[in-house]
Amino acid sequence: MNTYGYLQQFSNLDFTEIFSSTTDADILKIIAKKELNYHDFLQLLSPKAEDFLEEMAQKAKLNSLKYFGKAILLYSPLYIADFCENQCQYCGYSVMNKFQRHKLNFEQIETEARAIHQTGIRHIVLLTGDSRQTTPISYIKKAVQILKNYFDSITIEIYALTKIEYAELIAAGVDGLTIYQEVYDEKIYDGVHLRGPKKDYKFRMEAPFRGAEAGMHSLNIGALLGLNDWRKELFLTGQHLRFLFRKFPAVEYKISFPRLRPYHGSKVKTIEISDKNLVQGILAMRLYFPQIGINISTRESEHFRDNVMPLGVTQISAGVKTSVGGYSLKENEENQFEIADNRTVAEMKKAISNAGFQPIFKNWF
Amino acid sequence: MSDFILGGKKFKSRLLIGTGKFPQKETITKAIKSSESGIITLALRRVDLQSVEENILSYIPDDMTLLPNTSGARNATEAIRIAHLSEAMGCGNWIKIEVISDQKYLLPDNEETLKATRILVKEGFVVLPYISPDLMTAKKLVDAGAAAVMPLGSPIGSNRGIRTKELSQIIINEIDIPVIIDAGIGAPSDAAMVMEMGADAVLVNTAIASAENPDKMAEAFKLAVQAGRIAFISKLGAKSKFANPSSPLTGFLNS
């Protein structure tokens, strides 16, 4: 069975009915359970569970301590190109946005790598826009080979590839794949992805599966929160992960909770998710999967990031630039999205220590 | 108390400790001191020789024996690659084989572990394999030349005491090389118990690293391991399940 087929079984789930019949006693019982099923997880995402965030937080903290101890990994994203063939309503890279696009040459990539390496960062996420024409696999592969001389772990966050292409990049030095479904609701997906290769909902949905088959060591999935009811989106993210986990138990899994951030000229109508609900979502996920990584990016503010660290966060980005060439070239102002936490790596490292955690820079080879 | 011999070296302490999961690297140095441990395991994936400040080795006293582990390996090939990397990085020729192909329960893959052990022993490594407590695997590891076997006490993160007691006891009884109970030791009382059972040593990481006071907890484990060892040597009194019967069934033999 593929991911799409697996997730279909939840398509008729009556969220309203389950949420309205959830009681205080249900939530307390679920928090005390050792192993949660999908129904438990859904109830933790219910409005009722909002009254038990402290209880959930205490359990989440214990779960995280058992599996990860007091350590948080730092990483930085590296944007090497922003050419894109998609028209996605929520993204600054959309083909409809007119701005000077950039693609780093290999010398510039090395300069950026050196600049990031100097901050102490050893794990990076390599990003491009979705343009096979301007940034083909051969270009990305060469970039990976250069970056491998500077970094211990390279995760790619690029357009969806075939299994063979993933295997090719793994052989070049990639160990992780980040790919968000953006929105699990198929209709909404269709409505916000107006054109381009990304319009293919199913091809994107099976990408993590293909990556795992190709031999990825870690997979990071997530839904872009703000395009649909967050409770449904996080529920399906959880089921997506559950499916992958059973198929590929050797993979290290991570989940991100990207809240939609504005970009210059954004038109999409967003459904806000409050800080309280985002915390609820993170806690529910931590209780459902005690052993997965939780990734919080600079889409979130300093205040928010500092306070969620003890709730089960295992990795956090720092010193982030979301523009192409942002670390060393400084000629480019167009960001994919506006970041909310501008702290440098050194500042972030200090914040992690202050929260009682050990900042980790290297956790791969 | 008799010395603990492992990989041809003598150690005073029967407590092995780990470097992961501590709130600060400085805490590790203190905990090492209080534990009086002579052997420390570290995940090679965490070792960064390029950075003095971030290099975990800077926080470990020189006289300690390093036991790098292959955390991150999913099969024998990856474990062997990591062992080679470890030696090339100057971490010595001791290696703890950790092959995990299931991230949910984090249970070791005994078959791949055995494969990696056979090859690395031939290459001259001192190999300490981390295994699910299975007697046949343990026997094959002895034949392969492992320096010790390290059965898990409980699945990682379960914190519910020693869940593999009977199976571990069988290994302790039947295996002549050192048996080091690893993983799942959540409290000093767990450590004392497995030492009473006759384990040669224990490895403790999370319980020390994630304690409110790692330094004191390291000391507590040191004492617990010593107490358990002394109890084992002193031979615990038999725990009889039966009261002495007033009408013995075999009394007629004496009349």
Side-chain angles (χ1 to χ4, degrees):
Chain A
M1 191 192 285
N2 62 10
T3 315
Y4 185 80
Y6 182 80
L7 291 182
Q8 279 304 303
Q9 66 180 297
F10 303 106
S11 59
N12 291 323
L13 212 58
D14 189 343
F15 283 77
T16 317
E17 163 60 25
I18 293 167
F19 286 162
S20 64
S21 62
T22 299
T23 64
D24 288 5
D26 289 340
I27 302 294
L28 287 169
K29 206 157 80 188
I30 294 165
I31 295 171
K33 276 177 85 169
K34 188 168 155 41
E35 173 110 17
L36 273 54
N37 60 35
Y38 83 89
H39 199 273
D40 298 329
F41 174 56
L42 180 54
Q43 289 185 298
L44 290 184
L45 294 171
S46 71
K48 179 56 82 184
E50 286 173 24
D51 299 337
F52 298 92
L53 292 191
E54 185 55 35
E55 288 82 351
M56 286 168 73
Q58 294 296 341
K59 179 78 181 289
K61 186 182 166 189
L62 280 180
N63 278 348
S64 305
L65 272 184
K66 275 193 244 171
Y67 286 92
F68 297 95
K70 294 180 174 172
I72 293 179
L73 178 86
L74 283 152
Y75 71 95
S76 294
L78 170 57
Y79 287 78
I80 58 168
D82 54 17
F83 286 87
C84 196
E85 293 161 19
N86 294 319
Q87 187 183 347
C88 309
Q89 297 273 61
Y90 51 81
C91 180
Y93 283 1
S94 169
V95 70
M96 297 305 282
N97 292 339
K98 300 291 173 227
F99 63 94
Q100 180 65 49
R101 306 261 170 176
H102 291 84
K103 172 187 168 187
L104 300 184
N105 62 34
F106 298 121
E107 204 180 303
Q108 288 170 322
I109 289 173
E110 188 139 13
T111 309
E112 286 278 276
R114 223 174 276 131
I116 299 173
H117 183 267
Q118 269 172 8
T119 66
I121 290 290
R122 297 293 180 267
H123 284 229
I124 56 154
V125 178
L126 175 66
L127 298 102
T128 64
D130 187 342
S131 175
R132 276 180 180 269
Q133 214 177 350
T134 321
T135 50
I137 295 296
S138 55
Y139 166 76
I140 295 167
K141 188 171 159 184
K142 184 83 193 288
V144 168
Q145 285 161 345
I146 293 166
L147 294 170
K148 199 57 197 169
N149 296 323
Y150 294 88
F151 302 103
D152 294 298
S153 170
I154 302 173
T155 292
I156 45 167
E157 187 172 345
I158 60 172
Y159 47 93
L161 304 183
T162 64
K163 180 179 158 186
I164 292 168
E165 288 169 332
Y166 282 131
E168 207 179 326
L169 292 185
I170 290 167
V174 167
D175 58 278
L177 168 64
T178 295
I179 190 156
Y180 304 146
Q181 186 59 25
E182 315 297 12
V183 56
Y184 282 88
D185 185 294
E186 208 171 344
K187 269 197 199 117
I188 298 175
Y189 187 95
D190 201 51
V192 293
H193 298 100
L194 298 180
R195 64 184 163 115
K198 198 168 173 178
K199 194 156 183 69
D200 190 340
Y201 175 86
K202 289 180 184 167
F203 187 71
R204 190 164 184 91
M205 179 163 269
E206 304 303 336
F209 191 102
R210 294 192 296 274
E213 274 188 316
M216 285 291 174
H217 230 282
S218 74
L219 284 182
N220 188 343
I221 63 167
L224 193 50
L225 302 173
L227 296 170
N228 183 23
D229 179 355
W230 68 271
R231 298 180 205 272
K232 291 181 184 165
E233 288 298 314
L234 284 188
F235 174 73
L236 289 170
T237 308
Q239 299 326 305
H240 189 176
L241 190 82
R242 174 61 79 214
F243 173 70
L244 292 168
F245 214 152
R246 288 190 89 93
K247 286 269 181 191
F248 306 102
V251 173
E252 291 179 8
Y253 292 95
K254 296 162 193 172
I255 287 197
S256 302
F257 299 80
R259 270 198 284 199
L260 200 54
R261 299 279 314 158
Y263 71 88
H264 179 68
S266 173
K267 286 180 204 75
V268 72
K269 206 179 83 196
T270 57
I271 306 167
E272 291 271 326
I273 166 170
S274 65
D275 282 1
K276 186 179 175 184
N277 285 148
L278 182 54
V279 166
Q280 182 187 357
I282 294 170
L283 295 175
M285 204 62 88
R286 174 50 83 219
L287 265 52
Y288 193 31
F289 298 109
Q291 56 290 91
I292 62 157
I294 288 181
N295 183 1
I296 303 291
S297 79
T298 52
R299 287 170 186 269
E300 299 304 331
S301 68
E302 178 174 337
H303 174 77
F304 188 85
R305 299 216 299 169
D306 285 356
N307 283 293
V308 294
M309 278 185 216
L311 306 183
V313 173
T314 57
Q315 65 176 58
I316 212 157
S317 53
V320 172
K321 305 278 182 263
T322 62
S323 60
V324 176
Y327 293 95
S328 60
L329 307 170
K330 316 228 186 273
E331 60 190 37
N332 181 12
E333 296 291 305
E334 200 65 36
N335 295 313
Q336 189 190 21
F337 58 85
E338 289 167 22
I339 61 177
D341 184 352
N342 287 299
R343 281 177 287 180
T344 62
V345 172
E347 287 165 344
M348 210 52 234
K349 189 174 150 187
K350 206 157 169 240
I352 292 173
S353 297
N354 290 344
F357 289 81
Q358 184 190 159
I360 301 281
F361 286 87
K362 181 178 182 294
N363 196 26
W364 198 241
F365 307 99
Chain B
M1 205 166 15
S2 65
D3 286 331
F4 172 42
I5 314 265
L6 182 65
K9 287 193 190 179
K10 261 192 210 173
F11 297 94
K12 291 246 175 291
S13 166
R14 290 174 180 268
L15 170 63
L16 287 73
I17 63 170
T19 50
K21 303 181 176 181
F22 280 87
Q24 294 142 14
K25 284 189 278 304
E26 294 74 15
T27 330
I28 301 173
T29 318
K30 273 198 196 164
I32 292 171
K33 207 164 167 245
S34 319
S35 73
E36 292 178 16
S37 170
I39 306 167
I40 190 156
T41 186
L42 73 167
L44 205 76
R45 64 196 281 178
R46 288 272 173 90
V47 179
D48 186 1
L49 299 179
Q50 292 176 18
S51 162
V52 179
E53 196 198 336
E54 296 306 326
N55 185 0
I56 186 80
L57 298 177
S58 322
Y59 299 83
I60 299 173
D62 291 339
D63 58 351
M64 271 196 113
T65 296
L66 287 184
L67 179 55
N69 68 55
T70 64
S71 165
R74 297 174 296 188
N75 52 48
T77 313
E78 289 181 356
I80 291 165
R81 185 177 71 88
I82 297 166
H84 292 164
L85 195 61
S86 173
E87 200 176 33
M89 284 166 70
C91 294
N93 71 335
W94 284 42
I95 192 86
K96 179 185 164 196
I97 312 266
E98 246 184 75
V99 179
I100 309 279
S101 50
D102 179 280
Q103 296 293 329
K104 184 172 180 198
Y105 298 101
L106 301 171
L107 294 170
D109 184 329
N110 284 358
E111 192 184 343
E112 292 294 311
T113 302
L114 179 59
K115 268 193 229 166
T117 302
R118 283 184 176 133
I119 293 167
L120 290 169
V121 167
K122 278 193 192 131
E123 291 181 1
F125 282 88
V126 174
V127 181
L128 291 90
Y130 169 57
I131 56 166
S132 282
D134 171 64
L135 178 61
M136 296 314 140
T137 304
K139 286 190 170 188
K140 288 174 191 169
L141 285 166
V142 174
D143 292 343
V149 288
M150 305 182 76
L152 62 95
S154 279
I156 291 173
S158 60
N159 272 15
R160 290 185 302 165
I162 303 302
R163 311 298 284 193
T164 62
K165 198 173 169 186
E166 301 292 328
L167 295 169
S168 296
Q169 184 70 65
I170 290 171
I171 293 179
I172 291 168
N173 295 347
E174 301 301 323
I175 296 297
D176 294 329
I177 60 175
V179 176
I180 303 167
I181 304 293
D182 184 0
I185 294 176
S189 50
D190 296 335
M193 190 189 76
V194 295
M195 292 306 292
E196 285 170 12
M197 283 162 56
D200 295 279
V202 296
L203 192 153
V204 180
N205 185 7
T206 314
I208 293 175
S210 63
E212 285 292 326
N213 186 337
D215 182 19
K216 281 283 172 200
M217 191 54 83
E219 189 188 356
F221 270 102
K222 173 190 82 180
L223 297 171
V225 169
Q226 286 173 355
R229 182 65 184 174
I230 295 169
F232 173 71
I233 294 169
S234 317
K235 308 255 188 292
L236 288 168
K239 276 191 253 174
S240 177
K241 279 186 183 172
F242 309 103
N244 288 332
S246 51
S247 319
L249 296 172
T250 54
F252 72 98
L253 297 171
N254 304 322
S255 60

